[in-house]
Amino acid sequence: MLGTIGKILINVAFLSAILSLIGYFLYSKEENKRFLTLSNWLFGLKGLLILAASGILIYLILGHQFNYYYVYNYTSSDLQLKYLISAYWGGQEGSFMLWILFSALTGFGLMKWVREPYRGPVLFFLTLNQLFLLSMILGLDFGSFKIGASPFRTLAEAMPNAPFIQSNPDFVPANGKGLNDLLKSPWMIIHPPALFLGFSLMAVPYCFAMAALWKRKYHEWVNAALPWTLAANLSLFAAIFLGGYWAYVTLSFGGYWAWDPVENASFIPWLIGTAGIHTMLIQRKSSTSQKASIILAMLAYVAVVYETFLTRSGILADSSVHSFVDLGLYNQLLLFMVVIVGVGIGMLIYRYKDLPSQQNESRFLSREFMTFAGAMVLFLIGMVMALGTSSPIIGWLFVENPTPPEISFYNEWTTPLAIIAAILTVIGQYLFWERHSAESLAEELLWPLVGASIGTIATIVIGNVRDLYYMIYLLSAWFALFGNGFVMFRLARRKPRLIGGSLSHIGFGILLLGFLGSSAYQSNLLDMQTRNYNVAVKEGEIRDKEGFTVSEPITLLELKLNEPKVVNDKYLVTYQGYTLRNQDRPGQQEYKIKFENINQNGSGNAFYLYPQVYPMSSADKIQWSVDVDVKAGLLSDVYLYVAGSSFVEGKNEEYKKMKNLRSGNNIQPVSQEGLEAEQDTVPTQKISLARGDSVRMGNYTFIFQDYSPVDQSQLPDSTSIAVRALVDIMYDASQTPYRTQPLFVLYAKDGKNWVYSPPVKLAEHNIEVQFTSIEPETGKIELTIEGISEKPKEEWVLLMAEEKPFVSLVWLGTFVLMAGFSVSILRHWDRERKRHR
């Protein structure tokens, strides 16, 4: 019933959008206030209907209504409340609803603050955009023709051909599939709302640009659009940061950015939008760059729609790890993109001759030229990224199975452009606030250049930088930092509200320093033997069994239980065991790795990292996923995840054996004599454990926790040693271990020493544990185990351990850049508000 109501609400909202679109068009043509009033009410009704539908969907999610496909596909009964709520936007249909909601809120703001003559056309184009978004969740089925995918589809509607549905159309699963484990992160709760808020706000400059073309008002629109564009870019950049930090602390690709299409989907509009901000500033200051401002405002939102098409249509399903599953929206998304692009290009061509042209060329050393040049560099970086993201589609013209470009493609093309952009931020800022000749500008730039040179030389010496390209890169980054710092200091003394641009550029310079340090100069943490091996590999001295030269160095650190290793002459690293944490995920292991800084003294130099591994079973094998752990530092981070372990290896072997048994590949005839001999022989194993050690034997793990006191009143007076050992026995992936306390007593009788150590039985597992010996000097104990045939396995772990210098500068630069955007928003918003009092 509720699902039906939800569908009705969405359909009525779609109808309201159509009617309000017509009303805004008529108002823009005839300027009849009645059309505006009616359209505003219809727009508001549409927003309320989507809000009500969203409430119903959240209610179904919280109520575990697994008969609805969306609830079944993205939630489970054991999901925490915060992740149940975030599941609302965790799927494609729900994320469209969130986008529509934010777009509706944006529309309410535009109703209040947009003035004539732009109000009608701006709201018309915003409603047109919402109409397409609403069509994605309509879920109308006309046989072979379908419009959208409803979030209120039942399982029977979503999977009509499933055998369990055909046999029982009213089937309701006992539980849902659950949220993707990688999305169970607080950062993923915040990231999507920030992203879709940015997408919604980025539609505003597009709508203003279209309104300017419609009404032939080509200048004043930038004053109203500028605060919205700044807000859109701030929101997008916040989303980029949240997504990057989530990737850094969750995924195992080793960083915060991988040039994935979904990552680029937010970055490309941000770059084009930032370029548009620069041309808008030129237009506001000197009434030039009208064409560039309109084109970039259009392209920023076109990039949003295009990237939405790429990541949601399924066209990049094999190229992106983040791409949404295709819901059959390919044609609708394509139409959305074609209309947004077509309307924009069509109106631009129609009005192009009417657009004002700059009468006189700008001087090279002018704020107009330098600011425009900076905007074009940002635009070129965006185009490089768009080309790389689109390469799998372009590749279909030439090859059957095209692949996305390597990361090196993006790095090689964007890095020189970033260097140019860094230099232009300084020159542009000096020329933006004051007019200069070549001589006066050179004089002004002298001190920033001196500061940048000192910073670069210091970085080269301290960081042992030997690459000339990196030296030039460092000089440009320090130049952006010092140059914009001098400008900001001067502006702050005159009028602090003017520092937004220079503060953002300082953040950009800090980011460049962080990017280089954390990527080009990260290093693997390896022991001396492995490092020497890698040196020999580099010199071509290592050959494999076939006699071929080995070219790949070792990048993984292998540790055995409680056997410390010195890595990179800096840390003493010890693997101290793992813990099964089934309450978080079934079969999840948490590994305890101790780091001690050997170059420091004192007790505060040790820290622990706890990387995790958990299974994701499939039909033919166990797939293991990892959660990284990071020790953040001011100058460097230690980044760690588990690449393999004795536990994981054992589980893989068990799975293979079970699979072979099920398939009958491992069944062999056994003679009666062999069977009787096997029954008569009880396997016996001896293991030695120090306090805190663990040993795995077959499906059992024995952990020696500590010693326990013994009540000696019941023991002979001649007892010399009496002690119990607290030994936990974990079977398979059981959550609660068996706590045993085997006894060891040494006493004298008739001039001889005697041992009393009664076995402890685990009846349900048919094994016995006996405390048979103790080493007083080392504290080690010996246990004799009966009933387990497998030999004790040495416990080890294989780690990808890296030290990443100056990652903190990436986060610092991000915050400084966002602070600069925030200051600019307040300044331009206040100016616009005062103009229309």
Side-chain angles (χ1 to χ4, degrees):
M1 180 63 181
L2 284 176
T4 303
I5 295 174
K7 291 179 182 178
I8 293 172
L9 291 175
I10 292 174
N11 281 269
V12 175
F14 184 75
L15 179 61
S16 298
I18 294 175
L19 295 176
S20 62
L21 184 74
I22 296 171
Y24 285 130
F25 178 80
L26 294 174
Y27 170 71
S28 301
K29 292 278 289 183
E30 303 177 12
E31 298 187 358
N32 188 324
K33 289 286 186 180
R34 289 180 299 176
F35 289 126
L36 178 62
T37 302
L38 178 61
S39 296
N40 284 346
W41 278 103
L42 288 167
F43 189 99
L45 174 64
K46 174 198 60 190
L48 290 174
L49 291 169
I50 292 299
L51 182 62
S54 299
I56 291 175
L57 182 58
I58 293 174
Y59 179 82
L60 295 176
I61 290 172
L62 295 179
H64 304 305
Q65 301 293 312
F66 298 124
N67 53 315
Y68 291 97
Y69 178 76
Y70 191 89
V71 181
Y72 166 77
N73 207 34
Y74 297 107
T75 72
S76 58
S77 57
D78 60 345
L79 206 59
Q80 297 178 42
L81 177 62
K82 59 184 177 182
Y83 297 127
L84 285 172
I85 295 173
S86 67
Y88 162 64
W89 56 75
Q92 189 164 178
E93 305 94 313
S95 63
F96 272 126
M97 292 183 76
L98 183 67
W99 190 350
I100 296 165
L101 274 179
F102 281 139
S103 184
L105 290 174
T106 303
F108 294 147
L110 292 172
M111 289 179 195
K112 179 176 176 60
W113 290 302
V114 174
R115 309 298 175 182
E116 299 296 351
Y118 302 106
R119 176 181 291 171
V122 165
L123 289 169
F124 169 82
F125 284 105
L126 184 70
T127 307
L128 178 65
N129 170 70
Q130 279 201 323
L131 195 65
F132 278 104
L133 294 176
L134 280 163
S135 72
M136 305 298 171
I137 56 172
L138 273 180
L140 296 179
D141 191 345
F142 302 102
S144 59
F145 180 68
K146 298 180 180 179
I147 304 177
S150 172
F152 299 103
R153 291 176 296 164
T154 63
L155 280 174
E157 292 171 328
M159 301 184 292
N161 297 323
F164 61 89
I165 292 296
Q166 291 183 342
S167 61
N168 181 11
D170 298 323
F171 173 76
V172 179
N175 204 351
K177 293 170 64 177
L179 194 65
N180 188 315
D181 283 313
L182 295 176
L183 301 181
K184 294 176 183 177
S185 165
W187 304 104
M188 281 293 99
I189 297 175
I190 313 169
H191 167 71
L195 179 66
F196 290 111
L197 177 60
F199 283 0
S200 301
L201 292 172
M202 194 58 79
V204 176
Y206 173 87
C207 296
F208 268 106
M210 294 296 97
L213 291 171
W214 188 346
K215 290 296 183 177
R216 298 185 179 182
K217 303 290 185 180
Y218 305 119
H219 182 65
E220 289 297 322
W221 72 274
V222 297
N223 292 307
L226 192 51
W228 295 91
T229 312
L230 286 163
N233 277 43
L234 175 61
S235 185
L236 279 181
F237 201 73
I240 292 168
F241 159 71
L242 292 168
Y245 192 78
W246 164 77
Y248 182 64
V249 300
T250 302
L251 302 181
S252 60
F253 67 79
Y256 42 79
W257 199 257
W259 300 104
D260 185 89
V262 172
E263 295 172 340
N264 296 347
S266 56
F267 197 26
I268 295 172
W270 184 85
L271 286 166
I272 300 175
T274 305
I277 288 170
H278 286 76
T279 58
M280 287 180 186
L281 290 171
I282 301 172
Q283 181 175 340
R284 195 183 69 81
K285 284 281 188 179
S286 56
S287 299
T288 60
S289 298
Q290 286 95 340
K291 293 177 183 177
S293 296
I294 288 175
I295 292 172
L296 290 173
M298 288 168 41
L299 289 179
Y301 190 62
V302 166
V304 169
V305 177
Y306 176 61
E307 295 296 324
T308 300
F309 167 74
L310 290 182
T311 56
R312 291 174 179 266
S313 64
I315 198 169
L316 292 181
D318 297 328
S319 305
S320 171
V321 297
H322 302 93
S323 185
F324 282 95
V325 175
D326 181 18
L327 292 180
L329 302 179
Y330 179 93
N331 292 329
Q332 284 180 248
L333 290 166
L334 183 61
L335 180 63
F336 184 19
M337 183 178 63
V338 168
V339 169
I340 294 297
V341 174
V343 169
I345 293 177
M347 291 192 68
L348 182 64
I349 293 173
Y350 184 66
R351 298 293 196 200
Y352 194 79
K353 292 182 179 179
D354 194 36
L355 286 168
S357 299
Q358 188 172 339
Q359 298 301 317
N360 299 314
E361 293 294 329
S362 299
R363 296 182 301 110
F364 178 73
L365 292 180
S366 66
R367 68 183 175 193
E368 290 80 13
F369 181 85
M370 286 299 169
T371 307
F372 183 80
M376 290 302 99
V377 171
L378 292 174
F379 176 72
L380 284 175
I381 295 174
M383 289 301 97
V384 168
M385 291 177 59
L387 178 63
T389 307
S390 307
S391 61
I393 302 174
I394 300 171
W396 283 339
L397 300 174
F398 308 100
V399 295
E400 185 174 347
N401 294 309
T403 57
E406 298 290 334
I407 291 178
S408 59
F409 165 82
Y410 295 103
N411 293 336
E412 290 170 2
W413 282 93
T414 59
T415 302
L417 292 173
I419 293 172
I420 296 171
I423 296 170
L424 289 175
T425 62
V426 180
I427 300 174
Q429 277 288 291
Y430 273 95
L431 293 175
F432 192 87
W433 298 109
E434 292 180 3
R435 291 185 179 276
H436 283 285
S437 64
E439 292 78 10
S440 64
L441 180 63
E443 185 178 346
E444 289 283 356
L445 294 178
L446 177 61
W447 286 112
L449 189 58
V450 169
S453 300
I454 294 172
T456 302
I457 292 171
T459 307
I460 290 171
V461 173
I462 296 172
N464 195 29
V465 180
R466 294 294 179 265
D467 191 300
L468 179 61
Y469 189 34
Y470 290 162
M471 294 179 186
I472 297 171
Y473 177 98
L474 285 169
L475 182 63
S476 70
W478 280 112
F479 186 59
L481 196 58
F482 277 97
N484 286 285
F486 280 118
V487 173
M488 188 183 74
F489 179 74
R490 291 180 182 177
L491 292 174
R493 294 175 63 186
R494 289 164 44 193
K495 195 173 182 181
R497 300 183 70 181
L498 299 177
I499 68 170
S502 55
L503 186 60
S504 295
H505 293 155
I506 289 173
F508 178 62
I510 297 173
L511 274 171
L512 290 181
L513 292 174
F515 289 156
L516 183 66
S518 60
S519 56
Y521 288 94
Q522 65 181 11
S523 60
N524 294 102
L525 295 174
L526 301 170
D527 58 273
M528 180 60 72
Q529 182 179 355
T530 306
R531 290 163 60 193
N532 291 337
Y533 173 87
N534 288 343
V535 171
V537 167
K538 187 176 181 180
E539 295 176 354
E541 299 175 358
I542 305 297
R543 298 184 181 278
D544 59 19
K545 294 179 180 179
E546 285 75 26
F548 295 102
T549 302
V550 175
S551 59
E552 293 296 325
I554 294 175
T555 58
L556 299 177
L557 173 65
E558 183 179 8
L559 297 174
K560 295 180 181 179
L561 186 66
N562 294 321
E563 294 185 13
K565 278 187 178 181
V566 175
V567 299
N568 289 33
D569 298 324
K570 184 176 183 180
Y571 297 109
L572 185 67
V573 185
T574 309
Y575 167 45
Q576 296 188 340
Y578 66 89
T579 303
L580 288 170
R581 302 177 61 87
N582 291 303
Q583 64 272 24
D584 298 330
R585 302 182 184 100
Q588 176 178 306
Q589 316 114 56
E590 183 176 86
Y591 293 80
K592 185 178 182 180
I593 312 297
K594 182 180 181 181
F595 283 78
E596 297 173 275
N597 196 321
I598 60 177
N599 298 321
Q600 296 180 3
N601 296 320
S603 58
N605 64 348
F607 61 89
Y608 293 86
L609 290 178
Y610 299 90
Q612 298 176 346
V613 181
Y614 56 94
M616 300 175 66
S617 298
S618 63
D620 56 347
K621 63 179 180 179
I622 299 181
Q623 295 179 334
W624 297 95
S625 189
V626 303
D627 278 350
V628 304
D629 200 8
V630 179
K631 169 64 175 177
L634 184 62
L635 299 179
S636 65
D637 288 4
V638 175
Y639 179 95
L640 192 72
Y641 69 86
V642 175
S645 71
S646 53
F647 179 89
V648 169
E649 185 181 66
K651 285 297 175 185
N652 288 336
E653 291 175 356
E654 289 175 21
Y655 191 88
K656 289 178 182 177
K657 290 179 181 178
M658 291 175 59
K659 186 179 177 182
N660 288 333
L661 287 172
R662 285 196 299 266
S663 62
N665 295 336
N666 204 33
I667 298 176
Q668 298 179 356
V670 180
S671 66
Q672 185 65 31
E673 294 79 3
L675 184 60
E676 291 173 355
E678 185 177 335
Q679 291 173 344
D680 292 339
T681 304
V682 178
T684 302
Q685 313 278 359
K686 292 184 182 293
I687 57 175
S688 179
L689 295 167
R691 192 178 310 181
D693 281 359
S694 61
V695 170
R696 183 173 176 82
M697 301 171 64
N699 293 333
Y700 299 86
T701 301
F702 296 83
I703 307 169
F704 175 30
Q705 300 286 11
D706 206 345
Y707 293 101
S708 175
V710 178
D711 181 8
Q712 298 196 18
S713 61
Q714 304 297 322
L715 299 177
D717 294 336
S718 59
T719 298
S720 58
I721 297 177
V723 65
R724 289 187 183 274
L726 297 180
V727 179
D728 286 344
I729 305 173
M730 303 187 73
Y731 176 72
D732 201 12
S734 58
Q735 182 174 344
T736 305
Y738 298 93
R739 171 59 59 89
T740 63
Q741 298 186 50
L743 173 67
F744 178 85
V745 176
L746 182 65
Y747 64 96
K749 183 179 179 181
D750 300 331
K752 295 182 180 180
N753 289 328
W754 298 84
V755 172
Y756 175 65
S757 57
V760 177
K761 296 183 178 181
L762 269 68
E764 59 266 45
H765 290 275
N766 199 28
I767 66 172
E768 291 185 355
V769 180
Q770 191 174 14
F771 187 172
T772 50
S773 179
I774 185 172
E775 298 178 15
E777 299 83 3
T778 63
K780 286 188 174 183
I781 65 171
E782 181 188 79
L783 298 179
T784 300
I785 315 295
E786 289 189 357
I788 302 177
S789 58
E790 292 88 346
K791 296 291 183 182
K793 291 186 177 180
E794 189 175 52
E795 193 172 329
W796 53 268
V797 66
L798 205 58
L799 301 172
M800 172 58 76
E802 295 177 323
E803 190 164 33
K804 297 178 181 291
F806 300 111
V807 175
S808 57
L809 291 182
V810 176
W811 315 132
L812 175 62
T814 299
F815 291 131
V816 173
L817 194 149
M818 289 194 293
F821 269 93
S822 301
V823 172
S824 296
I825 291 170
L826 294 174
R827 175 193 165 208
H828 290 286
W829 180 259
D830 187 58
R831 186 201 68 247
E832 182 65 14
R833 182 177 55 84
K834 289 177 179 177
R835 289 179 70 242
H836 293 287
R837 278 181 175 175

